[in-house]
Amino acid sequence: MVTRAERSALKRAYESVLSDAVLPALGEHGFTRSHNTFRRSRGPLYDVINFQPNWNNSVTPWYGFFVNVGVGSVEIDRACPGHDPQLHAREGFLLDRRWEHLVPGAPYELRFDLTTNLSAFSARLCENLRRVLVAVEELHSTRDLVEYAVANNLLIAYEKTCCYLAATEDTDTLNGYVARLHENFGHQERWAIFISRITAAAGTAVIGGS
């Protein structure tokens, strides 16, 4: 059973990793920190890296956390205002993944304990973060981000993707994307929910998958 003193020491070590290793590594690339989240802007795009502590940390003899990566676009956010937040957030990511989906070999969860060499742990963490940046920097524009979403997203941000495609009158891409969603989910009862949400976001431009 982990003691209160051990929990406090682990939490301090986690904070040290973020402050002394992650912030300098990401700061070199234009990121600023707010609590567990690091953010930067790249033209119309914004990149967000979030460190999510494991909710079991209060009872385990180690400290675990996950790394979440998001890329959004202010152009997409501006094109899709005013919908019910339950449909899609005013600001949101079309790339929204755990880091292991972008960086093969990156651990699903990172863990350390009071015997861990934090210098070596932090070095491995920052090396994988550099690989994350290489992956997200392959997206140079809003168009790149939308093409990523259409090619890769089935359940992630499909409402906002459809909203933006409708707002920019890209009906061919919109209906091709909706047809792909229908191919994957059209046989399921929940397709009625899908198409209702898509129509609410994109309006009458949707014909694929109806």
Side-chain angles (χ1 to χ4, degrees):
M1 186 70 178
V2 63
T3 67
R4 180 176 298 179
E6 288 169 334
R7 284 200 303 271
S8 296
L10 289 167
K11 183 66 185 298
R12 288 195 301 271
Y14 169 70
E15 177 59 32
S16 164
V17 168
L18 294 191
S19 298
D20 299 339
V22 173
L23 180 57
L26 292 181
E28 290 181 0
H29 298 274
F31 284 83
T32 58
R33 179 186 178 188
S34 176
H35 304 293
N36 290 324
T37 300
F38 297 77
R39 180 184 177 117
R40 71 173 177 184
S41 295
R42 290 188 293 125
L45 303 181
Y46 49 86
D47 303 323
V48 175
I49 299 176
N50 168 261
F51 295 82
Q52 177 187 345
N54 189 319
W55 67 279
N56 288 312
N57 285 336
S58 62
V59 296
T60 57
W62 61 79
Y63 197 95
F65 60 95
F66 310 93
V67 183
N68 305 307
V69 182
V71 181
S73 165
V74 294
E75 293 174 337
I76 295 172
D77 295 339
R78 283 198 298 263
C80 299
H83 284 131
D84 186 322
Q86 294 298 318
L87 189 60
H88 65 73
R90 186 176 297 275
E91 178 182 89
F93 310 124
L94 267 59
L95 185 157
D96 189 358
R97 293 285 193 273
R98 288 269 171 84
W99 74 342
E100 68 270 16
H101 293 284
L102 302 175
V103 176
Y108 167 69
E109 180 184 8
L110 296 101
R111 290 180 178 179
F112 63 87
D113 60 28
L114 295 177
T115 69
T116 300
N117 181 328
L118 284 183
S119 294
F121 178 88
S122 297
R124 291 191 297 270
L125 167 59
C126 290
E127 176 56 31
N128 278 324
L129 288 174
R130 282 188 282 273
R131 295 170 67 199
V132 167
L133 297 186
V134 170
V136 300
E137 287 170 1
E138 292 179 1
L139 304 173
H140 300 285
S141 66
T142 297
R143 187 65 204 175
D144 288 345
L145 181 59
V146 171
E147 289 177 356
Y148 170 90
V150 169
N152 293 278
N153 291 351
L154 292 175
L155 294 174
I156 298 171
Y158 67 89
E159 304 97 334
K160 190 154 194 172
T161 302
C162 291
C163 176
Y164 180 75
L165 291 170
T168 54
E169 300 182 347
D170 188 352
T171 54
D172 288 344
T173 303
L174 170 62
N175 284 297
Y177 181 47
V178 174
R180 180 166 173 255
L181 294 173
H182 182 265
E183 180 181 349
N184 282 271
F185 305 113
H187 63 287
Q188 301 177 6
E189 289 185 7
R190 62 175 172 166
W191 177 249
I193 299 173
F194 272 73
I195 196 63
S196 174
R197 294 177 66 84
I198 291 168
T199 303
T204 57
V206 178
I207 56 173
S210 57

